[in-house]
């Protein structure tokens, strides 16, 4: 750069077509209340739309009103479980503890057995014909999973079953339906 192109104090004088000429500083800095509100409403709209699918998923998970289906999983051979007995299994995940109770020759019921009060394991009392939680004496009806005594207010999540070729399979989880 030669001497004529420099300003008085040696600074570089920007010509009209340099890349900063279209910035009107006064205008750029003007953000009145109306513009600010418009910007905030726009941002809120973008946020709402972008989070909508997650909100729907979270709603379904938290309310548990949707019946869930998973890959069928064999629980037991019918011949290995006498009428009136129960066995533990895990479904749908390996940490989702559950109970299968054989109530009759062809009648089975299964529930996830984490108590709906404070998650203690619920067990089958053959003598009483009830599902019992020892922590605070919660009792659940084995036919419906609904609480009948103690502090639990919500039913145990029921596991959907099917029998096939002499075996009992878990096919899904039904939650909090009345
Ligand atoms: S944890 Fe089951 S009754 Fe409290």
């Amino acid at each position: 750069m030669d001497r004529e192109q420099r300003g008085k104090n040696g600074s570089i004088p920007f010509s009209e077509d340099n890349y900063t000429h279209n910035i009107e500083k006064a205008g750029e800095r003007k953000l009145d209340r109306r513009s600010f509100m418009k910007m905030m409403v726009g941002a809120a709209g973008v946020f709402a739309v972008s989070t909508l699918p997650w909100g729907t998923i979270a709603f379904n998970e938290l309310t548990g009103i949707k019946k869930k289906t998973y890959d069928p999983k064999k629980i037991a051979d019918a011949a290995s479980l006498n009428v009136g007995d129960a066995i533990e299994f895990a479904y749908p995940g390996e940490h989702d503890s559950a109970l299968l109770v054989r109530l009759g020759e062809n009648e089975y019921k299964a529930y996830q057995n984490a108590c709906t009060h404070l998650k203690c394991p619920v067990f089958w009392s053959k003598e009483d014909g009830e599902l019992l939680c020892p922590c605070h004496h919660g009792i659940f009806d084995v036919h419906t999973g609904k609480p009948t005594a103690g502090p639990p207010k919500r039913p145990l999540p029921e596991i959907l079953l099917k029998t096939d070729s002499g075996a009992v399979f878990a096919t899904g989880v039904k939650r909090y339906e009345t």
Side-chain angles (χ1 to χ4, degrees):
M1 184 171 295
D2 58 29
R3 283 213 145 152
E4 290 86 58
Q5 286 178 296
R6 289 184 180 274
K8 284 182 184 163
N9 58 2
S11 64
I12 300 170
F14 292 108
S15 59
E16 277 303 300
D17 61 352
N18 75 39
Y19 65 91
T20 60
H21 84 281
N22 61 345
I23 296 176
E24 294 173 37
K25 284 188 178 172
E28 297 289 318
R29 288 181 180 157
K30 202 165 110 191
L31 184 62
D32 59 17
R33 190 157 42 165
R34 180 171 296 188
S35 304
F36 179 73
M37 289 309 294
K38 275 186 190 172
M39 188 182 73
M40 292 308 288
V41 168
V46 169
F47 179 75
V49 169
S50 65
T51 57
L52 194 58
W54 301 111
T56 305
I57 291 168
F59 177 80
N60 288 337
E61 284 295 321
L62 292 172
T63 57
I65 55 176
K66 287 239 167 170
K67 192 184 289 183
K68 297 208 159 197
T69 54
Y70 302 92
D71 290 340
K73 178 184 174 182
K74 181 179 174 181
I75 303 171
D77 288 314
S80 68
L81 189 64
N82 294 325
V83 172
D85 286 346
I87 56 167
E88 277 192 29
F89 64 103
Y91 188 81
E94 59 180 308
H95 301 297
D96 299 317
S97 173
L99 271 180
L100 170 70
V101 185
R102 187 171 188 177
L103 295 170
E105 199 55 44
N106 294 307
E107 188 184 2
Y108 299 88
K109 280 289 182 181
Y111 302 94
Q112 289 187 330
N113 70 331
C115 181
T116 55
H117 178 222
L118 292 175
K119 301 288 182 194
C120 284
V122 170
F123 70 92
W124 167 239
S125 168
K126 187 174 179 177
E127 302 72 40
D128 299 319
E130 292 170 326
L131 295 163
L132 302 179
C133 177
C135 288
H136 312 99
H137 309 292
I139 300 176
F140 297 87
D141 185 327
V142 70
H143 296 280
T144 63
K146 291 180 181 175
T148 57
K153 296 284 182 273
R154 291 173 292 130
L156 294 170
E158 183 175 356
I159 294 185
L160 305 174
L161 302 171
K162 73 169 184 181
T163 53
D164 189 19
S165 306
V168 186
F169 293 81
T171 61
V173 180
K174 189 167 68 172
R175 295 195 225 184
Y176 306 144
E177 288 187 307
T178 54

